[in-house]
Amino acid sequence: MSGGQIAAGRVRRAFRGGLARAAVAAMSTAAILLALVMLWREGAGIERTELTVGQTPATLYHQPGLQGAPLVVIAHGFAGSRQFMQSFALTLANAGYAALSYDLLGHGRNPVPMSGDVTTVDGTTRLLIEEANRVIERGLEVPQAGGGLALVGHSMATDVLVRTAAERDDVDAIAAVSMYSEAVTGEFPERLLMVTGQWEPHLREAALDAMAEVEQGAGEGDTAQSGEVERRAVVAPHVEHVGVLYSETTQREVRSWLDATFGRASEGPVAQRGPWVALLMAGIVGLSWPLFVLLPRRVTAEPPGWRALAAGLGVPAVATPLILWPVEPAFLPVLVADYLALHLGLYGLLQIAVMWWAGYRLPLGPVWPAAALAAYGIGVFGLALDTFGASFVPNAGRLAIVGAVALGAVPFMLGDALATAGGRAPLLRRLAARMAVFVSFGLAVALDFEGLFFLVLILPVILLFFLVFGTMGGWVGRRSGPLASGVGLGLVLAWAIGVSFPLFSA
C-alpha cells in the first residue's frame, strides 16, 4: 500500500470519526434539551418557597395565591433528600395541596448530623420524630395551609412519620411508600395507604401484615376497613426501592388517597419525572464522549493478563476486609464513610502493589485531563442531578469530608485504572474488577454485620458510580492514560460519597 493510500485511509477514518462524534453530540444535546423542557413543564406554575425550620431546610410547593389548603409534609428515606421526593411535591401542589418537603437530619443540605443510638426508638428515631414535629408546626403556620394535615414518607421516613402521628391528634392521613414500621397496629394509624414496588418482596409482606390486622384476607389492591380504621395496600409494577418514587401508580394512589381523605377531586396529569431525569442524565453522559475524545492521545497502557489480574483483584479483595476487621474508625462525621475511605484506600494501594509486582506499572502522563473529568462529572452531571434527582451540592461543612475521603478514593481508582488499563481492558476483565470490589465489601459486612450494616444500603451508590462515571472515565483513560482517569474518578467518587452519605455524630 502506497503512502498516499495510507494517508487517504486516515482521512476517511477521521471523517467517519468526526461524523460519529457530531451525530452523538447532536443526539445527546437534543436529549438534554427535551428532558429539560419536559421537567420545566412539570413544575411550571408552581411556586417554591424556601423555609428553614431551626436548621432544617425545607421547600414549600404551592399554587400561586393558595390559602387554607390541606398541608402535606413529605419526608425522604435513608441517604435521600428533598430532590428525591419532587414528584410527590409537584403532583400534590398541582392538585391544590400545600406540599412541604424537607431534608432530614444529616441528609441533603441539612447541616445537623443524625445522632443517638440507631438501634433504639429512643435514640436516632426520637430525634427524627422531634424534627418532624417542628417541620409540621412550621408548615401549619404558613398562609397556604389550614385545611387539614397529611404525611407522606418513603422507607426510613415511614416509621418516623407513623410514630410522629402517634403523638399528635391532627394527622388526617398517612401515605407510606416502601413502608416498614413496628408502630403500626390494628387500631393505628386510622387512615394508612401503603405503596410498595413490585420488586420489594419483604416490604410487600409487611404491608400485607398491616392489612391483616384490619381485615383478614385483604390483599394487594384492596382497601380494608374496620370501624374508623381504613387501610389500603398497592403494588407499583416493575419498580424497586427507588423506582417506586417515580411510578405513576404511586403518584396517583397517593393523590387519590389524600383526595378521599379531604373530600377533593383532583384532575390532570401526575408528575412523570423519572423518565425525563433518566434521559437528562443519559444525554449528559452521551455528550461527554465527543468532548473527551478531543483530548490529546498521550499515554496508552496494555491490559494485564488474567494471571496478573487475578492476583491484582483477589489479594486486595480478601486482604482488605481482613486487615480492617479489628479497626473501628471514627474520624469522619459521616455514616460508614470513614470505614469506606480506609477500605478504598487500602484496597487501591494493595492492588497497585500487587500489579507492580506482576510487572504492570502505572504509566506517567498528563494529569490535567483528570481535572476535565472531575469538572464535567461534578459540575455538569452533578449540578443536573442536584437540581432534578438527588442532593449533590454540599454545604460548607462537607467539603472537608470530601477531602478526607479523597485520600482513600484516589488510590482506589488509580488501582482500578491500572487493573483495567484505563478502560482499555476487555469488558469481561472490567466486569471482574467491579465484582471483586463488591465481593470485598460483602466480606467486610459478613465479618462485622452490626457495625457495617449501613454499608449494604449505600452500595447502590457505588454501583451507580461505576455505571455512570466509570463510563466517562473510560473515555478519558483510553485517550490520556490510566493516571488521568484514576485521579479524575477518584475525585468524583470522593465528592459523591462526601455529599450523599448521611452525616452522623455518635
Side-chain angles (χ1 to χ4, degrees), residues 269-290:
V270 300
Q272 298 286 305
R273 299 177 73 77
W276 301 119
V277 171
L279 181 64
L280 175 62
M281 299 297 106
I284 292 173
V285 173
L287 185 61
S288 71
W289 177 70

Side-chain angles (χ1 to χ4, degrees), residues 490-501:
L491 295 174
V492 177
L493 178 58
W495 186 279
I497 294 171
V499 304
S500 62
F501 285 18

Side-chain angles (χ1 to χ4, degrees), residues 72 74 87-99 152 254-255 258:
V72 184
I74 303 170
S87 292
F88 295 95
L90 292 174
T91 294
L92 296 175
N94 274 313
Y97 293 91
V152 176
V254 170
R255 188 181 68 177
L258 299 186

Side-chain angles (χ1 to χ4, degrees), residues 135-207:
V135 172
I136 291 171
E137 292 300 328
R138 179 66 180 90
L140 293 173
E141 294 174 356
V142 301
Q144 293 84 358
L149 172 64
L151 309 178
V152 176
H154 174 236
S155 191
M156 175 186 74
T158 61
D159 182 54
V160 173
L161 295 183
V162 167
R163 295 181 185 277
T164 300
E167 300 179 0
R168 306 179 64 94
D169 58 6
D170 57 352
V171 177
D172 298 295
I174 298 176
V177 182
S178 302
M179 188 200 77
Y180 182 82
S181 176
E182 295 180 352
V184 174
T185 67
E187 294 76 33
F188 180 83
E190 289 189 355
R191 283 191 58 79
L192 174 63
L193 168 69
M194 298 165 290
V195 184
T196 50
Q198 181 179 349
W199 301 328
E200 297 184 286
H202 297 300
L203 297 180
R204 290 174 65 179
E205 292 177 7

Side-chain angles (χ1 to χ4, degrees), residues 270-353:
V270 300
Q272 298 286 305
R273 299 177 73 77
W276 301 119
V277 171
L279 181 64
L280 175 62
M281 299 297 106
I284 292 173
V285 173
L287 185 61
S288 71
W289 177 70
L291 294 176
F292 288 147
V293 296
L294 296 177
L295 293 170
R297 187 181 293 278
R298 296 289 182 85
V299 179
T300 59
E302 289 302 317
W306 272 113
R307 180 176 298 179
L309 184 63
L313 300 181
V315 171
V318 175
T320 300
L322 291 176
I323 293 172
L324 295 180
W325 185 15
V327 179
E328 295 184 4
F331 56 87
L332 291 177
V334 180
L335 205 60
V336 304
D338 38 21
Y339 175 84
L340 188 58
L342 284 178
H343 192 113
L344 293 175
L346 180 58
Y347 188 105
L349 292 174
L350 288 173
Q351 190 167 55
I352 293 171

Side-chain angles (χ1 to χ4, degrees), residues 46-139:
I46 298 300
E47 293 185 355
R48 294 169 172 83
T49 302
E50 299 300 324
L51 304 174
T52 302
V53 186
Q55 296 189 67
T56 299
T59 305
L60 180 68
Y61 297 75
H62 58 91
Q63 294 177 352
L66 183 71
Q67 287 188 334
L71 173 69
V72 184
V73 174
I74 303 170
H76 60 79
F78 180 81
S81 61
R82 283 171 291 173
Q83 291 92 323
F84 266 108
M85 308 299 282
Q86 284 186 84
S87 292
F88 295 95
L90 292 174
T91 294
L92 296 175
N94 274 313
Y97 293 91
L100 181 60
S101 184
Y102 70 101
D103 287 338
L104 277 69
L105 292 171
H107 292 74
R109 304 282 203 282
N110 197 323
V112 181
M114 293 193 300
S115 58
D117 188 348
V118 297
T119 64
T120 68
V121 175
D122 294 330
T124 306
T125 302
R126 166 48 50 190
L127 299 176
L128 293 172
I129 292 171
E130 293 173 358
E131 180 186 44
N133 273 311
R134 291 193 297 270
V135 172
I136 291 171
E137 292 300 328
R138 179 66 180 90

